[in-house]
Amino acid sequence: MDPFMRATIDEARAGLAEGGIPIGSVLVHNGKIIGHGHNRRVQHGSAILHGEMDALENAGRLPASVYSESVLYTTLSPCAMCSGAILLYGIPKVVIGENQTFMGEEQLLRERGVVVEVKQDAECIALMREFIQASPELWNEDIGEEG
Amino acid sequence: MDPFMRATIDEARAGLAEGGIPIGSVLVHNGKIIGHGHNRRVQHGSAILHGEMDALENAGRLPASVYSESVLYTTLSPCAMCSGAILLYGIPKVVIGENQTFMGEEQLLRERGVVVEVKQDAECIALMREFIQASPELWNEDIGEEG
């Protein structure tokens, strides 16, 4: 497996082990991970720390030139907020673990010129399927749906 | 002036007084402010705490039913990230101080059914004009542009 997708799934598993929502993300620049993240809704009582947002936050303040050479990895198709962050910073490519359990704003990203690669990775799908079945209310909260 | 826009501008001024980027936001539910925020890029070294994101974060974890009855106020037209957060949570209305110094994703918001009201408030315009003139590199960083 792509080592960056492996690191992304490991982030999702770390979130699950903390009692959180198992979605992970890493930001990769020039073949190096510069930001690790996972969903922190439960851990930090956060409404904005989706996995992708956490990876961007942990990468810190960066010049536009770094984002424009980076790839964002995420275990799950990015929601409107995380897709908007990708567009804000002009990140040119997103590698997605799966979009079977949730379809985010992939079409909008493609329309705006972002390269979107979907792996349909069995481990990512199983992680989310099990989580959604176990904690449907938490999952609905995370995607702004009625519980 | 609308007291919620007054509170929103006061947030922007609080950010400026802290040495930050002068953009403020409040989340209003049933005629009460439930989240105050302002841009914290400088103060927290944050890549994601735009004013609107900070207001959503400070409002805390909320059920979808609260977002669907709320109005988000912001001094400046919301960027792709903040607009995406509005779409994620199904916030039905956004009141914007101005869009003369920066045009965000108002068209996308309207296409998705969000009511967008732009005040073109002179105080908001002056705040941003002065800030952008004084700190163009910081402003460019905040909107993902080359410095």
PDB file of all heavy atoms in Angstrom, chain B residues 51-76:
ATOM      1  N   GLY B  51     -12.565  33.833  10.997  1.00  0.00           N
ATOM      2  CA  GLY B  51     -13.572  34.316  11.947  1.00  0.00           C
ATOM      3  C   GLY B  51     -14.794  33.412  12.041  1.00  0.00           C
ATOM      4  O   GLY B  51     -15.258  33.068  13.143  1.00  0.00           O
ATOM      5  N   GLU B  52     -15.303  32.985  10.905  1.00  0.00           N
ATOM      6  CA  GLU B  52     -16.514  32.160  10.896  1.00  0.00           C
ATOM      7  C   GLU B  52     -16.251  30.801  11.542  1.00  0.00           C
ATOM      8  O   GLU B  52     -17.086  30.265  12.277  1.00  0.00           O
ATOM      9  CB  GLU B  52     -17.013  31.949   9.456  1.00  0.00           C
ATOM     10  CG  GLU B  52     -17.345  33.240   8.709  1.00  0.00           C
ATOM     11  CD  GLU B  52     -16.164  33.803   7.929  1.00  0.00           C
ATOM     12  OE1 GLU B  52     -15.009  33.736   8.418  1.00  0.00           O
ATOM     13  OE2 GLU B  52     -16.402  34.333   6.832  1.00  0.00           O
ATOM     14  N   MET B  53     -15.073  30.227  11.251  1.00  0.00           N
ATOM     15  CA  MET B  53     -14.722  28.920  11.818  1.00  0.00           C
ATOM     16  C   MET B  53     -14.587  29.027  13.331  1.00  0.00           C
ATOM     17  O   MET B  53     -14.980  28.129  14.080  1.00  0.00           O
ATOM     18  CB  MET B  53     -13.401  28.417  11.226  1.00  0.00           C
ATOM     19  CG  MET B  53     -13.369  28.305   9.717  1.00  0.00           C
ATOM     20  SD  MET B  53     -14.555  27.136   9.042  1.00  0.00           S
ATOM     21  CE  MET B  53     -13.749  25.602   9.498  1.00  0.00           C
ATOM     22  N   ASP B  54     -14.021  30.152  13.778  1.00  0.00           N
ATOM     23  CA  ASP B  54     -13.841  30.368  15.212  1.00  0.00           C
ATOM     24  C   ASP B  54     -15.205  30.506  15.904  1.00  0.00           C
ATOM     25  O   ASP B  54     -15.399  29.967  17.010  1.00  0.00           O
ATOM     26  CB  ASP B  54     -12.998  31.637  15.397  1.00  0.00           C
ATOM     27  CG  ASP B  54     -12.513  31.831  16.820  1.00  0.00           C
ATOM     28  OD1 ASP B  54     -12.011  30.863  17.424  1.00  0.00           O
ATOM     29  OD2 ASP B  54     -12.617  32.956  17.340  1.00  0.00           O
ATOM     30  N   ALA B  55     -16.149  31.186  15.261  1.00  0.00           N
ATOM     31  CA  ALA B  55     -17.500  31.307  15.834  1.00  0.00           C
ATOM     32  C   ALA B  55     -18.169  29.935  15.922  1.00  0.00           C
ATOM     33  O   ALA B  55     -18.796  29.598  16.937  1.00  0.00           O
ATOM     34  CB  ALA B  55     -18.349  32.268  14.996  1.00  0.00           C
ATOM     35  N   LEU B  56     -18.023  29.126  14.866  1.00  0.00           N
ATOM     36  CA  LEU B  56     -18.616  27.782  14.883  1.00  0.00           C
ATOM     37  C   LEU B  56     -17.959  26.922  15.956  1.00  0.00           C
ATOM     38  O   LEU B  56     -18.627  26.168  16.665  1.00  0.00           O
ATOM     39  CB  LEU B  56     -18.470  27.115  13.508  1.00  0.00           C
ATOM     40  CG  LEU B  56     -19.318  27.734  12.387  1.00  0.00           C
ATOM     41  CD1 LEU B  56     -18.893  27.175  11.027  1.00  0.00           C
ATOM     42  CD2 LEU B  56     -20.809  27.476  12.618  1.00  0.00           C
ATOM     43  N   GLU B  57     -16.633  27.045  16.081  1.00  0.00           N
ATOM     44  CA  GLU B  57     -15.919  26.253  17.086  1.00  0.00           C
ATOM     45  C   GLU B  57     -16.336  26.670  18.496  1.00  0.00           C
ATOM     46  O   GLU B  57     -16.577  25.819  19.363  1.00  0.00           O
ATOM     47  CB  GLU B  57     -14.410  26.414  16.898  1.00  0.00           C
ATOM     48  CG  GLU B  57     -13.556  25.537  17.796  1.00  0.00           C
ATOM     49  CD  GLU B  57     -13.628  24.048  17.465  1.00  0.00           C
ATOM     50  OE1 GLU B  57     -14.640  23.593  16.885  1.00  0.00           O
ATOM     51  OE2 GLU B  57     -12.676  23.324  17.814  1.00  0.00           O
ATOM     52  N   ASN B  58     -16.447  27.985  18.712  1.00  0.00           N
ATOM     53  CA  ASN B  58     -16.816  28.462  20.048  1.00  0.00           C
ATOM     54  C   ASN B  58     -18.271  28.160  20.393  1.00  0.00           C
ATOM     55  O   ASN B  58     -18.622  28.102  21.575  1.00  0.00           O
ATOM     56  CB  ASN B  58     -16.525  29.959  20.164  1.00  0.00           C
ATOM     57  CG  ASN B  58     -15.029  30.230  20.211  1.00  0.00           C
ATOM     58  OD1 ASN B  58     -14.255  29.386  20.655  1.00  0.00           O
ATOM     59  ND2 ASN B  58     -14.610  31.389  19.734  1.00  0.00           N
ATOM     60  N   ALA B  59     -19.106  27.987  19.384  1.00  0.00           N
ATOM     61  CA  ALA B  59     -20.503  27.581  19.641  1.00  0.00           C
ATOM     62  C   ALA B  59     -20.559  26.141  20.153  1.00  0.00           C
ATOM     63  O   ALA B  59     -21.534  25.746  20.796  1.00  0.00           O
ATOM     64  CB  ALA B  59     -21.340  27.724  18.371  1.00  0.00           C
ATOM     65  N   GLY B  60     -19.516  25.370  19.864  1.00  0.00           N
ATOM     66  CA  GLY B  60     -19.445  23.998  20.364  1.00  0.00           C
ATOM     67  C   GLY B  60     -20.216  23.015  19.497  1.00  0.00           C
ATOM     68  O   GLY B  60     -20.736  23.369  18.441  1.00  0.00           O
ATOM     69  N   ARG B  61     -20.252  21.776  19.971  1.00  0.00           N
ATOM     70  CA  ARG B  61     -20.957  20.717  19.244  1.00  0.00           C
ATOM     71  C   ARG B  61     -22.457  20.942  19.361  1.00  0.00           C
ATOM     72  O   ARG B  61     -22.990  21.015  20.470  1.00  0.00           O
ATOM     73  CB  ARG B  61     -20.580  19.351  19.818  1.00  0.00           C
ATOM     74  CG  ARG B  61     -19.158  18.940  19.531  1.00  0.00           C
ATOM     75  CD  ARG B  61     -18.770  17.683  20.282  1.00  0.00           C
ATOM     76  NE  ARG B  61     -19.700  16.590  20.013  1.00  0.00           N
ATOM     77  CZ  ARG B  61     -19.624  15.395  20.608  1.00  0.00           C
ATOM     78  NH1 ARG B  61     -18.675  15.166  21.499  1.00  0.00           N
ATOM     79  NH2 ARG B  61     -20.490  14.455  20.310  1.00  0.00           N
ATOM     80  N   LEU B  62     -23.117  21.029  18.222  1.00  0.00           N
ATOM     81  CA  LEU B  62     -24.555  21.326  18.208  1.00  0.00           C
ATOM     82  C   LEU B  62     -25.286  20.320  17.325  1.00  0.00           C
ATOM     83  O   LEU B  62     -24.730  19.838  16.343  1.00  0.00           O
ATOM     84  CB  LEU B  62     -24.792  22.725  17.626  1.00  0.00           C
ATOM     85  CG  LEU B  62     -24.169  23.906  18.388  1.00  0.00           C
ATOM     86  CD1 LEU B  62     -24.290  25.177  17.561  1.00  0.00           C
ATOM     87  CD2 LEU B  62     -24.849  24.070  19.746  1.00  0.00           C
ATOM     88  N   PRO B  63     -26.551  20.052  17.648  1.00  0.00           N
ATOM     89  CA  PRO B  63     -27.339  19.192  16.753  1.00  0.00           C
ATOM     90  C   PRO B  63     -27.691  19.939  15.462  1.00  0.00           C
ATOM     91  O   PRO B  63     -27.740  21.174  15.433  1.00  0.00           O
ATOM     92  CB  PRO B  63     -28.594  18.878  17.569  1.00  0.00           C
ATOM     93  CG  PRO B  63     -28.697  19.945  18.595  1.00  0.00           C
ATOM     94  CD  PRO B  63     -27.302  20.466  18.841  1.00  0.00           C
ATOM     95  N   ALA B  64     -27.951  19.182  14.424  1.00  0.00           N
ATOM     96  CA  ALA B  64     -28.285  19.764  13.118  1.00  0.00           C
ATOM     97  C   ALA B  64     -29.468  20.721  13.220  1.00  0.00           C
ATOM     98  O   ALA B  64     -29.523  21.734  12.515  1.00  0.00           O
ATOM     99  CB  ALA B  64     -28.584  18.641  12.122  1.00  0.00           C
ATOM    100  N   SER B  65     -30.403  20.429  14.121  1.00  0.00           N
ATOM    101  CA  SER B  65     -31.614  21.252  14.239  1.00  0.00           C
ATOM    102  C   SER B  65     -31.301  22.682  14.670  1.00  0.00           C
ATOM    103  O   SER B  65     -32.043  23.611  14.337  1.00  0.00           O
ATOM    104  CB  SER B  65     -32.588  20.612  15.223  1.00  0.00           C
ATOM    105  OG  SER B  65     -31.959  20.450  16.484  1.00  0.00           O
ATOM    106  N   VAL B  66     -30.237  22.882  15.422  1.00  0.00           N
ATOM    107  CA  VAL B  66     -29.863  24.240  15.839  1.00  0.00           C
ATOM    108  C   VAL B  66     -29.244  25.003  14.665  1.00  0.00           C
ATOM    109  O   VAL B  66     -29.634  26.149  14.373  1.00  0.00           O
ATOM    110  CB  VAL B  66     -28.901  24.206  17.049  1.00  0.00           C
ATOM    111  CG1 VAL B  66     -28.373  25.606  17.370  1.00  0.00           C
ATOM    112  CG2 VAL B  66     -29.608  23.616  18.258  1.00  0.00           C
ATOM    113  N   TYR B  67     -28.323  24.360  13.965  1.00  0.00           N
ATOM    114  CA  TYR B  67     -27.734  25.036  12.794  1.00  0.00           C
ATOM    115  C   TYR B  67     -28.819  25.431  11.798  1.00  0.00           C
ATOM    116  O   TYR B  67     -28.753  26.500  11.199  1.00  0.00           O
ATOM    117  CB  TYR B  67     -26.728  24.115  12.093  1.00  0.00           C
ATOM    118  CG  TYR B  67     -25.479  23.820  12.882  1.00  0.00           C
ATOM    119  CD1 TYR B  67     -25.194  22.527  13.320  1.00  0.00           C
ATOM    120  CD2 TYR B  67     -24.558  24.820  13.163  1.00  0.00           C
ATOM    121  CE1 TYR B  67     -24.035  22.240  14.027  1.00  0.00           C
ATOM    122  CE2 TYR B  67     -23.394  24.549  13.877  1.00  0.00           C
ATOM    123  CZ  TYR B  67     -23.147  23.248  14.301  1.00  0.00           C
ATOM    124  OH  TYR B  67     -21.995  22.967  14.999  1.00  0.00           O
ATOM    125  N   SER B  68     -29.807  24.571  11.629  1.00  0.00           N
ATOM    126  CA  SER B  68     -30.817  24.816  10.581  1.00  0.00           C
ATOM    127  C   SER B  68     -31.744  25.971  10.932  1.00  0.00           C
ATOM    128  O   SER B  68     -32.528  26.413  10.094  1.00  0.00           O
ATOM    129  CB  SER B  68     -31.616  23.547  10.316  1.00  0.00           C
ATOM    130  OG  SER B  68     -32.472  23.272  11.408  1.00  0.00           O
ATOM    131  N   GLU B  69     -31.646  26.479  12.173  1.00  0.00           N
ATOM    132  CA  GLU B  69     -32.436  27.649  12.585  1.00  0.00           C
ATOM    133  C   GLU B  69     -31.536  28.846  12.881  1.00  0.00           C
ATOM    134  O   GLU B  69     -31.971  29.796  13.529  1.00  0.00           O
ATOM    135  CB  GLU B  69     -33.219  27.329  13.860  1.00  0.00           C
ATOM    136  CG  GLU B  69     -34.235  26.216  13.723  1.00  0.00           C
ATOM    137  CD  GLU B  69     -34.792  25.780  15.089  1.00  0.00           C
ATOM    138  OE1 GLU B  69     -34.138  26.013  16.140  1.00  0.00           O
ATOM    139  OE2 GLU B  69     -35.884  25.199  15.083  1.00  0.00           O
ATOM    140  N   SER B  70     -30.277  28.788  12.471  1.00  0.00           N
ATOM    141  CA  SER B  70     -29.327  29.835  12.849  1.00  0.00           C
ATOM    142  C   SER B  70     -28.971  30.747  11.676  1.00  0.00           C
ATOM    143  O   SER B  70     -29.212  30.425  10.514  1.00  0.00           O
ATOM    144  CB  SER B  70     -28.048  29.192  13.407  1.00  0.00           C
ATOM    145  OG  SER B  70     -28.322  28.542  14.636  1.00  0.00           O
ATOM    146  N   VAL B  71     -28.417  31.899  12.027  1.00  0.00           N
ATOM    147  CA  VAL B  71     -27.900  32.852  11.043  1.00  0.00           C
ATOM    148  C   VAL B  71     -26.439  33.108  11.399  1.00  0.00           C
ATOM    149  O   VAL B  71     -26.116  33.340  12.569  1.00  0.00           O
ATOM    150  CB  VAL B  71     -28.679  34.190  11.098  1.00  0.00           C
ATOM    151  CG1 VAL B  71     -28.118  35.178  10.066  1.00  0.00           C
ATOM    152  CG2 VAL B  71     -30.170  33.961  10.873  1.00  0.00           C
ATOM    153  N   LEU B  72     -25.570  33.039  10.401  1.00  0.00           N
ATOM    154  CA  LEU B  72     -24.160  33.347  10.635  1.00  0.00           C
ATOM    155  C   LEU B  72     -23.877  34.767  10.144  1.00  0.00           C
ATOM    156  O   LEU B  72     -24.167  35.099   8.990  1.00  0.00           O
ATOM    157  CB  LEU B  72     -23.261  32.348   9.904  1.00  0.00           C
ATOM    158  CG  LEU B  72     -21.771  32.480  10.227  1.00  0.00           C
ATOM    159  CD1 LEU B  72     -21.465  32.016  11.648  1.00  0.00           C
ATOM    160  CD2 LEU B  72     -20.916  31.686   9.236  1.00  0.00           C
ATOM    161  N   TYR B  73     -23.351  35.596  11.029  1.00  0.00           N
ATOM    162  CA  TYR B  73     -22.928  36.948  10.684  1.00  0.00           C
ATOM    163  C   TYR B  73     -21.426  36.951  10.504  1.00  0.00           C
ATOM    164  O   TYR B  73     -20.705  36.304  11.276  1.00  0.00           O
ATOM    165  CB  TYR B  73     -23.282  37.928  11.812  1.00  0.00           C
ATOM    166  CG  TYR B  73     -24.739  38.314  11.867  1.00  0.00           C
ATOM    167  CD1 TYR B  73     -25.697  37.408  12.306  1.00  0.00           C
ATOM    168  CD2 TYR B  73     -25.161  39.577  11.467  1.00  0.00           C
ATOM    169  CE1 TYR B  73     -27.044  37.763  12.352  1.00  0.00           C
ATOM    170  CE2 TYR B  73     -26.503  39.940  11.515  1.00  0.00           C
ATOM    171  CZ  TYR B  73     -27.446  39.023  11.960  1.00  0.00           C
ATOM    172  OH  TYR B  73     -28.770  39.373  11.996  1.00  0.00           O
ATOM    173  N   THR B  74     -20.950  37.691   9.510  1.00  0.00           N
ATOM    174  CA  THR B  74     -19.510  37.812   9.311  1.00  0.00           C
ATOM    175  C   THR B  74     -19.202  39.187   8.724  1.00  0.00           C
ATOM    176  O   THR B  74     -20.005  39.719   7.957  1.00  0.00           O
ATOM    177  CB  THR B  74     -18.958  36.692   8.409  1.00  0.00           C
ATOM    178  OG1 THR B  74     -17.575  36.958   8.110  1.00  0.00           O
ATOM    179  CG2 THR B  74     -19.713  36.568   7.103  1.00  0.00           C
ATOM    180  N   THR B  75     -18.072  39.771   9.110  1.00  0.00           N
ATOM    181  CA  THR B  75     -17.751  41.103   8.582  1.00  0.00           C
ATOM    182  C   THR B  75     -17.358  41.061   7.111  1.00  0.00           C
ATOM    183  O   THR B  75     -17.468  42.069   6.418  1.00  0.00           O
ATOM    184  CB  THR B  75     -16.604  41.761   9.386  1.00  0.00           C
ATOM    185  OG1 THR B  75     -15.502  40.866   9.455  1.00  0.00           O
ATOM    186  CG2 THR B  75     -17.060  42.130  10.796  1.00  0.00           C
ATOM    187  N   LEU B  76     -16.892  39.889   6.633  1.00  0.00           N
ATOM    188  CA  LEU B  76     -16.353  39.795   5.267  1.00  0.00           C
ATOM    189  C   LEU B  76     -16.933  38.580   4.537  1.00  0.00           C
ATOM    190  O   LEU B  76     -17.153  37.531   5.143  1.00  0.00           O
ATOM    191  CB  LEU B  76     -14.821  39.670   5.329  1.00  0.00           C
ATOM    192  CG  LEU B  76     -14.084  39.660   3.997  1.00  0.00           C
ATOM    193  CD1 LEU B  76     -14.229  40.986   3.266  1.00  0.00           C
ATOM    194  CD2 LEU B  76     -12.597  39.350   4.210  1.00  0.00           C
TER     195      LEU B  76
END
